[in-house]
Amino acid sequence: MKFSRTKLRAPALALTAGLLASLTACASAGATKSSTPVEVPGASAEANKYMNELYDKAFAANHTQLVLYGPGVTANQAMNDVFTKRFPGIKLLPQDQADAQILTKLDTEAQSGNRIADIYVGGESPQAAAKPNICTPADVRTADPGFKIPTDNDGRLTYFALRYFGFVYNTDQVQKQDAPKNWHDLLDPKWKGKIAVGDMTVPGGIRYILESLMLPENEKKWGRSYLEKLAAQDLQISQSEPMVPTDVASGRFPVGIAVYQGYFEAQKQKGAPIEMVFPLEDGGNYMARSALCVIKDAPHSQAAQLYVNWLYSPEGQKALAEKDNSYGRTPTAPGPPGLPSLDKLPRLPFSNPDPAFNKPYFDFITQAFKK
């Protein structure tokens, strides 16, 4: 039996067109613009002028909504509230979906010409930015003088934040002073068979972290010999990386390592008996980059550019720290409450996306930790 590709796409296109129409119809409903020019604290006169130009153009075109796609964009509500308070009348509409679903939607919208999304927010490498018909470079003019905005994919991918990984421990089982505070602490015999971790033999953050410990500049401090000793500690593999803090919070294991802050925070917010060790005292801190792409021919392009420029303003960098518990990217970006600023935080290198570069490291990790 044969199926028409055009017919299969028709419902999706109709849904896209319908949602676009509904968004357009209410784009300016209830939107009230600031009666005076907006002044973003800490931003230069030139930066404020540019943001006000974008703000004015958004209202002139009745494009006062901003549609965000991403696997967890609704979690940024507190930070986004700072933006909408600063720029009254701009409404953010976050839509959470898995990356695979988002890519399908973005492809459908691009092929139909009926764009809905304005910005796609993802992790280290949003795949949409690799496609020339989906993303377009952001025009950022609000960062610190002399600072080059970190980008990839010919500028179509804009890195805007850093999120950290650390060790976690169950507070009912481990006292704060006894929790491991650096990588070598994990080699203490008392932790043998008691450390939860994601599967190091499959793609995931833990593989990149262990790879960083083996890079030439870290060979003397950690290196392959360290990983062999760590493997001898009989690490306990959780079902997935998000399950590591869950296993620790439940008391199944007293300690978990290489835990993404978001997974830890999800357990902490539930009142679980869990705490995180970060930063590590040996400088072995790993951070993952968060990135976004501005959608090509976005229906609310001025609002999209305004949002990205605000993120790179001093207020946006501060909001990332205080409201999103993450680090901004400028040299002067503050750290989340209680943590050092970015310029005072020693950390491991970012992951290298090149498969040829990673292969010998990943092969060693697979062999060392294979059960």
Side-chain angles (χ1 to χ4, degrees), residues 65-360:
Q65 293 198 102
L66 182 58
V67 181
L68 306 175
Y69 283 5
V73 285
T74 57
N76 300 329
Q77 185 64 49
M79 181 187 75
N80 290 337
D81 285 346
V82 180
F83 170 76
T84 54
K85 183 177 180 180
R86 182 62 59 196
F87 294 95
I90 303 293
K91 183 178 181 180
L92 269 61
L93 299 174
Q95 296 187 24
D96 285 345
Q97 283 188 321
D99 279 329
Q101 293 174 296
I102 293 170
L103 290 172
T104 299
K105 287 182 68 175
L106 290 174
D107 274 330
T108 300
E109 292 174 21
Q111 292 172 29
S112 69
N114 294 317
R115 309 272 189 172
I116 293 177
D118 297 300
I119 292 177
Y120 169 35
V121 182
E124 285 250 351
S125 303
Q127 294 167 280
K131 301 184 177 184
N133 66 326
I134 292 182
C135 298
T136 192
D139 183 10
V140 183
R141 309 181 193 179
T142 53
D144 296 350
F147 176 71
K148 184 178 180 181
I149 304 298
T151 64
D152 211 334
N153 297 98
D154 297 322
R156 295 190 299 272
L157 182 70
T158 302
Y159 295 109
F160 71 95
L162 295 171
R163 292 180 168 85
Y164 53 87
F165 290 68
F167 300 165
V168 296
Y169 61 95
N170 185 299
T171 56
D172 289 339
Q173 299 175 328
V174 180
Q175 297 297 310
K176 180 178 180 179
Q177 64 270 20
D178 298 327
K181 299 182 175 56
N182 58 61
W183 287 96
H184 279 91
D185 281 354
L186 300 175
L187 304 183
D188 190 313
K190 69 181 180 182
W191 300 125
K192 187 169 184 176
K194 299 179 180 180
I195 301 172
V197 68
D199 191 342
M200 293 147 294
T201 66
V202 301
I206 180 60
R207 279 161 67 93
Y208 288 105
I209 296 174
L210 295 180
E211 178 188 42
S212 293
L213 297 175
M214 289 191 292
L215 294 177
E217 60 267 37
N218 291 324
E219 186 65 33
K220 290 183 179 180
K221 196 170 187 178
W222 297 292
R224 286 172 170 77
S225 62
Y226 169 78
L227 261 64
E228 290 171 343
K229 295 174 184 176
L230 184 64
Q233 284 291 78
D234 188 24
L235 304 189
Q236 302 299 301
I237 310 301
S238 291
Q239 186 177 6
S240 63
E241 290 191 4
M243 283 298 295
V244 174
T246 301
D247 286 340
V248 173
S250 69
R252 185 181 179 196
F253 303 108
V255 171
I257 63 172
V259 174
Y260 171 60
Q261 68 172 97
Y263 301 152
F264 157 72
E265 289 162 3
Q267 292 299 316
K268 186 69 175 176
Q269 289 169 4
K270 295 176 183 177
I274 190 171
E275 285 294 345
M276 174 174 274
V277 178
F278 181 87
L280 301 179
E281 62 185 18
D282 59 359
N285 305 296
Y286 186 81
M287 308 188 79
R289 294 169 288 188
S290 291
L292 58 79
C293 79
V294 175
I295 302 302
K296 185 178 181 180
D297 301 322
H300 314 104
S301 60
Q302 305 296 343
Q305 294 285 357
L306 174 60
Y307 181 73
V308 181
N309 272 272
W310 175 80
L311 280 175
Y312 263 101
S313 74
E315 182 177 64
Q317 297 287 286
K318 182 180 179 182
L320 279 165
E322 295 183 351
K323 304 299 183 180
D324 195 49
N325 201 31
S326 58
Y327 284 85
R329 292 305 307 269
T330 64
T332 57
L339 296 180
S341 59
L342 190 60
D343 60 341
K344 292 181 174 59
L345 181 69
R347 58 187 189 274
L348 297 169
F350 292 127
S351 60
N352 189 319
D354 183 2
F357 177 90
N358 293 326
K359 187 177 185 308

